[in-house]
Amino acid sequence: MAPYVTEFDLYEPEHVDGKDAVKQKVAVIGSGSWGTALARIAALNAAEKKGFHPEVRMWVREREIPGKGLLTELINNTHQNSRYLPDVSLPHNLRAVPELADVVKDATLIVLVVPHQFLTPVLETLSKPGVLAPNARAISAIKGVEVAGDQIYTYPSIIEKRLGIPCSALGGANIALEVAHSEFCETTIGVPSPEDAALWHAVFDAPAFRVHPIEDVAGVSLSGALKNVVAMAAGFVDGMGLGGNTKAAILRIGLLEMASFTKEFFPESSSLTFSHHSAGVADLITTSFGGRNRKCAEAFVKTGKSFTQLEHELLNGQKLQGVATAEEVFHFLEARGRLQDFPLFDKVYRISFEDMDPKCLFENL
Amino acid sequence: MAPYVTEFDLYEPEHVDGKDAVKQKVAVIGSGSWGTALARIAALNAAEKKGFHPEVRMWVREREIPGKGLLTELINNTHQNSRYLPDVSLPHNLRAVPELADVVKDATLIVLVVPHQFLTPVLETLSKPGVLAPNARAISAIKGVEVAGDQIYTYPSIIEKRLGIPCSALGGANIALEVAHSEFCETTIGVPSPEDAALWHAVFDAPAFRVHPIEDVAGVSLSGALKNVVAMAAGFVDGMGLGGNTKAAILRIGLLEMASFTKEFFPESSSLTFSHHSAGVADLITTSFGGRNRKCAEAFVKTGKSFTQLEHELLNGQKLQGVATAEEVFHFLEARGRLQDFPLFDKVYRISFEDMDPKCLFENL
């Protein structure tokens, strides 16, 4: 388990039997803030780099915007996704497309960045014969994890299995709007092979968006899920009015728990992903100081309202990622009889769902 | 290089030749916020634990407080150090003492927590014959590092050499006032032997102040110095109005630079100290979000004033730790011809002293 050390910028298109170079074609499935921000970078790179088809397609669920026409037309005419990425100009070679099959037609590089509850129908369409190009590869920027009894699955593994194509993972300290404003940041991609590392690096790397490819697909994916559980603990600390020492201690303990969870249940992963990479420590810091999991967890302590209530009031009923992951991880660890070695994950669940006093967060850590 | 796994709470006094147990006696040299907070914990533990002399002495530079008498008497009568730790009750067995030789008389455990510029005269007094007990041990909570040309020294190594006694290091995410208010936090002690680990753990460990002893004395000491340089970079990011992604990226890169600096010049140290322990990642987080190095660095970018001006205006002319360390580390790396592998440390110096544009912080990282 090590970072790839290939010269990724040297990615050059393959020549097949003396014919024209095979052009890579990028498709982005998802058009929320993060999907649009990633599509923007991919389109900027595709327009400039040799070996890429210049058009990047982005899947947008079609709907009528009152007085303004169809959403895809609006995005394609204004070159803005004003709901999810206000005041950000999108490159003209980024094209919003309403039909999923059209988005991925001839695409070789598929970026999956839908909320996890929409993944199943997306995979159903993509797995139909003839929809995907035979040489397609995927990358998942989906946060979360799937648990069934005592089994746990990352999204890249689910995608890989369902579509029969290699799937990488992308994660890091990446608040979408800051990325779209080209503020300096880093991201980590976990990729199964050096060839895929070179390809995905070429798709996303930019002067203000530094892409570091590593081998650990499971670690990058798990970190994106588990950090939200730790961010909830950070929110509880804020809600109790405790200071920087306590929050830093919770982050440190949480990061170690994230790493040992991943190491235990995905033994091929690397603890360096958590301690050294943007998908680990940096993403955890950003999420625990700025994200909405932290914010809702703070409100949970301060108001005494349940998460169901808070999700209703603050998120239009949308399920908070950290709450969902805390629940899944708790039930998985319970099914495995392994709760005792993950006291922080255990407590976040019990505080959220079993009326445990938030002050108990620090016991047995 | 590993954490000690002894049962530290089992520390019991040594019995010598059937005589009474040798009682450990704690002396704290320094009475600023951090010195007083550490003295408070040590006194609470000494009062309760077997094997400790109940009185803990703390060195206070004597002076007359207008209308209130001598400072030591004021502290000993009110059981408060109202200038440095307002509204915190100090245990009655903690005694402020004006003469250094009296503070350390018969003391076996010496806590050094003076600003580094005061260390030389302190060591001069302590090294006089008969001042220190022959079986004394020391621990340094002093932040900073000493550079002379192409040589670099940690404070524990200076203390050890000058006094001829073993010296440990203490560091972590420990804002003094939060520690004094018993908010949950952790600290790391780097100790040269399991015996010293057990002793210092017994002195400081408390339910809300979790002490983790590890072997890496140099790493704990260096981290306390170098984190302030990274916190200045974090302050520059804040001053430029950049967001959480950028700050997290700078912290991540800074943490790796701290670890590789220490590994290169103190090869006996461990990179785990930085990635896994409170003295590393947790202290860096707390300092980069809350500390005064961050704050002054933000003001530096926003106001365009020099650090000398800012130190004059905001710190009564006191030298900012991060600025001093950035300067020392830069000159050391320059003398060694090793600047190119520490671009963040290099840039913090050049932005601070050579009019480099803060926007250049991200180049070559």
Side-chain angles (χ1 to χ4, degrees):
Chain A
M1 279 292 159
Y4 291 103
V5 288
T6 337
E7 282 295 305
F8 299 102
D9 287 329
L10 298 179
Y11 164 72
E12 288 287 347
E14 307 162 48
H15 288 262
V16 182
D17 298 336
K19 286 187 205 153
D20 275 350
V22 177
K23 295 256 183 190
Q24 299 291 343
K25 191 169 179 184
V26 182
V28 179
I29 299 177
S31 50
S33 311
W34 191 216
T36 310
L38 285 174
R40 176 182 161 275
I41 296 178
L44 289 169
N45 278 335
E48 276 194 3
K49 292 189 184 178
K50 274 193 296 186
F52 282 91
H53 191 290
E55 186 177 270
V56 169
R57 294 184 167 192
M58 175 171 80
W59 184 46
V60 174
R61 284 159 168 270
E62 193 62 286
R63 58 193 182 92
E64 181 81 28
I65 307 295
K68 293 183 173 177
L70 292 171
L71 179 58
T72 52
E73 285 173 13
L74 193 64
I75 292 175
N76 290 331
N77 293 334
T78 62
H79 305 292
Q80 288 220 347
N81 184 352
S82 54
R83 176 161 176 201
Y84 286 111
L85 220 52
D87 304 321
V88 173
S89 297
L90 303 175
H92 290 212
N93 61 322
L94 174 61
R95 201 175 154 70
V97 173
E99 285 303 325
L100 193 48
D102 292 342
V103 175
V104 298
K105 190 172 160 21
D106 301 328
T108 53
L109 297 164
I110 319 273
V111 184
L112 285 144
V113 55
V114 290
H116 66 104
Q117 61 272 28
F118 299 138
L119 185 62
T120 306
V122 164
L123 293 183
E124 204 165 309
T125 302
L126 297 186
S127 61
K128 286 180 184 156
V131 171
L132 282 187
N135 55 343
R137 294 160 160 94
I139 195 166
S140 161
I142 301 167
K143 307 293 179 212
V145 76
E146 289 267 325
V147 163
D150 66 352
Q151 296 300 308
I152 188 165
Y153 307 96
T154 65
Y155 286 114
S157 73
I158 292 169
I159 293 163
E160 211 160 89
K161 195 169 175 199
R162 190 70 205 273
L163 303 182
I165 62 176
C167 186
S168 302
L170 182 148
N174 301 144
I175 296 167
L177 203 59
E178 296 177 15
V179 172
H181 287 148
S182 295
E183 295 184 12
F184 175 83
C185 75
E186 303 180 300
T187 205
T188 311
I189 53 174
V191 280
S193 72
E195 296 73 33
D196 283 23
L199 274 169
W200 289 117
H201 185 269
V203 172
F204 289 120
D205 191 59
F209 190 68
R210 306 279 174 83
V211 174
H212 301 284
I214 60 173
E215 290 179 34
D216 184 8
V217 185
V220 171
S221 184
L222 260 292
S223 184
L226 298 174
K227 58 138 197 212
N228 287 323
V229 182
V230 181
M232 287 182 59
F236 294 153
V237 168
D238 290 340
M240 288 184 273
L242 299 170
N245 293 355
T246 309
K247 194 154 163 177
I250 289 299
L251 262 58
R252 186 195 81 83
I253 293 165
L255 188 63
L256 293 185
E257 229 168 86
M258 288 162 65
S260 48
F261 181 94
T262 307
K263 195 75 202 159
E264 178 168 346
F265 302 110
F266 298 84
E268 76 281 13
S269 72
S270 162
S271 68
L272 285 181
T273 304
F274 297 86
S275 58
H276 281 51
H277 291 285
S278 181
V281 58
D283 192 11
L284 179 65
I285 292 172
T286 303
T287 306
S288 299
F289 281 87
R292 66 185 194 175
N293 289 287
R294 186 214 66 77
K295 190 179 163 185
C296 290
E298 181 182 21
F300 174 85
V301 173
K302 284 187 169 164
T303 65
K305 292 177 182 172
S306 72
F307 276 111
T308 314
Q309 261 181 293
L310 291 167
E311 284 161 352
H312 184 73
E313 288 173 22
L314 303 174
L315 305 171
N316 283 321
Q318 223 185 306
K319 186 95 178 160
L320 199 63
Q321 194 72 64
V323 174
T325 308
E327 226 176 330
E328 279 161 330
V329 166
F330 177 87
H331 291 305
F332 168 73
L333 287 170
E334 197 178 37
R336 291 282 186 114
R338 293 291 297 119
L339 275 168
Q340 78 281 5
D341 281 335
F342 300 92
L344 190 70
F345 294 162
D346 185 18
K347 300 268 180 43
V348 169
Y349 175 82
R350 293 188 197 275
I351 291 166
S352 303
F353 295 103
E354 296 187 347
D355 288 328
M356 179 183 262
D357 186 338
K359 289 195 192 81
C360 298
L361 184 62
F362 312 114
E363 283 167 17
N364 310 318
L365 286 187
Chain B
M1 276 295 159
Y4 291 103
V5 287
T6 337
E7 282 294 306
F8 299 102
D9 287 327
L10 298 181
Y11 165 72
E12 288 287 347
E14 307 163 48
H15 287 262
V16 182
D17 298 336
K19 286 186 207 156
D20 275 352
V22 178
K23 294 256 183 192
Q24 300 290 343
K25 191 170 180 184
V26 182
V28 179
I29 300 178
S31 50
S33 311
W34 190 216
T36 310
L38 284 175
R40 176 182 161 275
I41 295 178
L44 290 169
N45 277 336
E48 278 195 3
K49 293 190 184 179
K50 276 194 294 188
F52 281 91
H53 191 290
E55 186 177 87
V56 169
R57 294 184 166 192
M58 175 172 80
W59 184 45
V60 174
R61 285 159 166 270
E62 193 62 287
R63 59 194 180 90
E64 182 81 29
I65 307 296
K68 293 185 173 174
L70 293 172
L71 179 57
T72 51
E73 285 173 14
L74 193 63
I75 293 174
N76 290 332
N77 292 336
T78 62
H79 304 292
Q80 289 219 346
N81 184 352
S82 54
R83 177 163 174 200
Y84 287 112
L85 219 51
D87 304 321
V88 173
S89 297
L90 302 176
H92 290 211
N93 61 322
L94 174 61
R95 198 173 155 71
V97 173
E99 285 303 326
L100 194 49
D102 293 341
V103 175
V104 298
K105 190 172 160 21
D106 301 327
T108 51
L109 297 164
I110 319 272
V111 183
L112 285 144
V113 56
V114 290
H116 66 103
Q117 61 271 27
F118 299 137
L119 184 63
T120 305
V122 164
L123 293 183
E124 204 165 308
T125 302
L126 297 186
S127 61
K128 285 180 183 154
V131 171
L132 283 188
N135 56 343
R137 294 160 160 95
I139 195 166
S140 161
I142 301 167
K143 305 295 178 211
V145 75
E146 288 269 324
V147 164
D150 66 353
Q151 296 301 308
I152 189 165
Y153 307 96
T154 64
Y155 286 113
S157 72
I158 292 169
I159 293 163
E160 210 160 270
K161 195 169 173 198
R162 190 70 205 275
L163 302 183
I165 63 176
C167 186
S168 301
L170 182 148
N174 301 143
I175 295 167
L177 203 59
E178 296 177 15
V179 172
H181 286 149
S182 295
E183 295 185 12
F184 175 83
C185 74
E186 304 180 301
T187 205
T188 311
I189 53 175
V191 280
S193 72
E195 296 72 32
D196 284 23
L199 273 169
W200 290 116
H201 186 269
V203 172
F204 289 119
D205 191 59
F209 190 69
R210 305 278 175 85
V211 174
H212 301 285
I214 61 174
E215 289 180 36
D216 184 8
V217 185
V220 170
S221 184
L222 260 292
S223 184
L226 298 174
K227 59 142 197 207
N228 287 324
V229 181
V230 181
M232 287 182 61
F236 295 153
V237 168
D238 290 340
M240 289 185 273
L242 299 170
N245 292 355
T246 309
K247 195 154 164 179
I250 289 298
L251 262 57
R252 186 195 81 83
I253 292 165
L255 188 64
L256 293 186
E257 229 168 86
M258 288 162 66
S260 48
F261 181 95
T262 307
K263 195 74 202 160
E264 178 167 346
F265 302 111
F266 298 83
E268 75 282 12
S269 72
S270 162
S271 67
L272 285 183
T273 303
F274 297 86
S275 58
H276 281 52
H277 291 286
S278 181
V281 58
D283 192 11
L284 179 64
I285 292 172
T286 302
T287 306
S288 299
F289 281 87
R292 66 187 195 172
N293 290 286
R294 186 215 65 78
K295 189 179 165 184
C296 290
E298 181 182 21
F300 174 86
V301 173
K302 283 188 169 164
T303 65
K305 293 177 182 173
S306 72
F307 276 110
T308 314
Q309 262 181 292
L310 291 168
E311 283 161 353
H312 184 74
E313 289 173 20
L314 303 174
L315 305 172
N316 284 322
Q318 222 185 308
K319 186 96 177 160
L320 198 63
Q321 194 72 65
V323 174
T325 308
E327 226 176 331
E328 279 161 328
V329 166
F330 178 87
H331 291 306
F332 168 74
L333 287 170
E334 198 178 36
R336 290 284 185 113
R338 293 290 297 119
L339 276 168
Q340 78 280 5
D341 281 336
F342 300 92
L344 190 71
F345 294 163
D346 184 18
K347 300 269 179 44
V348 169
Y349 175 82
R350 292 186 198 276
I351 291 166
S352 304
F353 293 105
E354 296 187 347
D355 287 329
M356 180 182 261
D357 185 337
K359 290 196 191 80
C360 298
L361 183 63
F362 313 114
E363 284 168 16
N364 310 318
L365 286 188

